[in-house]
Amino acid sequence: MAKAEESSISALHQLWARLENEQHQLAITIQQARVDMASVESMRQRQAWLLLEISAVVAEIREAPATTLEDYLALLDVAIEHEVDLASDIAFYGPKDFPMITRLLGALAESVPGFEFNSLRRWLSPGQYEEVVGDAHTGAAELIGFGAR
């Protein structure tokens, strides 16, 4: 099993995102490559291994202590993917149907520069993703009171 260099949730999140992205790309490749069954079989074996790795990392994330805001954002990102269907719902219905969640996710993403909601990035179109998390210049964190003393 793959291990993150640190056992913090944010470090485990980086490993999780890498594994999820590889698994997602592999699923697309398998769907497009149905002609060559020999290569599809080896890809399915790799996909099965990735799914086991993802499950193991998610289990580690569930148990790891959260100590920073980035840890909590990473925990939320994994929960969005593995405990609720939020990303797919936003992709299907559109961000406008989730105004409070969109506002909250945008403010949270802004509060940790460089943080990416990988679950949302995979499910949403680029335009939807920007609509949900915005960019660093929106000021959403201040609008809902994050960082206020």
Side-chain angles (χ1 to χ4, degrees):
M1 298 270 166
K3 292 282 183 191
E5 290 140 21
E6 305 169 24
S7 62
S8 74
I9 291 176
S10 58
L12 290 166
H13 177 259
Q14 291 174 5
L15 174 60
W16 170 82
R18 192 171 59 247
L19 292 169
E20 284 281 0
N21 290 343
E22 183 180 348
Q23 192 283 131
H24 179 73
Q25 187 58 48
L26 196 54
I28 292 169
T29 303
I30 289 170
Q31 189 173 21
Q32 294 171 345
R34 296 219 177 259
V35 181
D36 183 6
M37 293 311 279
S39 64
V40 168
E41 183 57 34
S42 68
M43 287 187 277
R44 286 186 189 200
Q45 289 174 1
R46 174 71 179 159
Q47 187 178 34
W49 181 86
L50 284 167
L51 291 171
L52 289 172
E53 286 291 301
I54 290 166
S55 292
V57 172
V58 169
E60 285 185 65
I61 289 170
R62 280 189 195 110
E63 301 301 320
T67 58
T68 67
L69 182 55
E70 187 172 359
D71 287 341
Y72 284 104
L73 286 173
L75 191 60
L76 177 60
D77 190 25
V78 175
I80 287 171
E81 182 74 22
H82 290 275
E83 293 187 353
V84 296
D85 292 328
L86 181 59
S88 63
D89 286 349
I90 293 172
F92 183 76
Y93 295 106
K96 289 186 182 1
D97 279 359
F98 299 88
M100 292 182 288
I101 293 291
T102 298
R103 183 176 169 195
L104 179 61
L105 291 171
L108 291 170
E110 183 180 319
S111 67
V112 177
F115 182 84
E116 181 174 285
F117 282 102
N118 195 57
S119 59
L120 297 175
R121 175 71 70 193
R122 274 194 316 279
W123 278 93
L124 306 180
S125 71
Q128 286 177 320
Y129 185 81
E130 286 301 316
E131 192 176 340
V132 172
V133 299
D135 61 29
H137 307 293
T138 61
E142 289 78 24
L143 289 173
I144 63 171
F146 282 120
R149 296 201 189 268

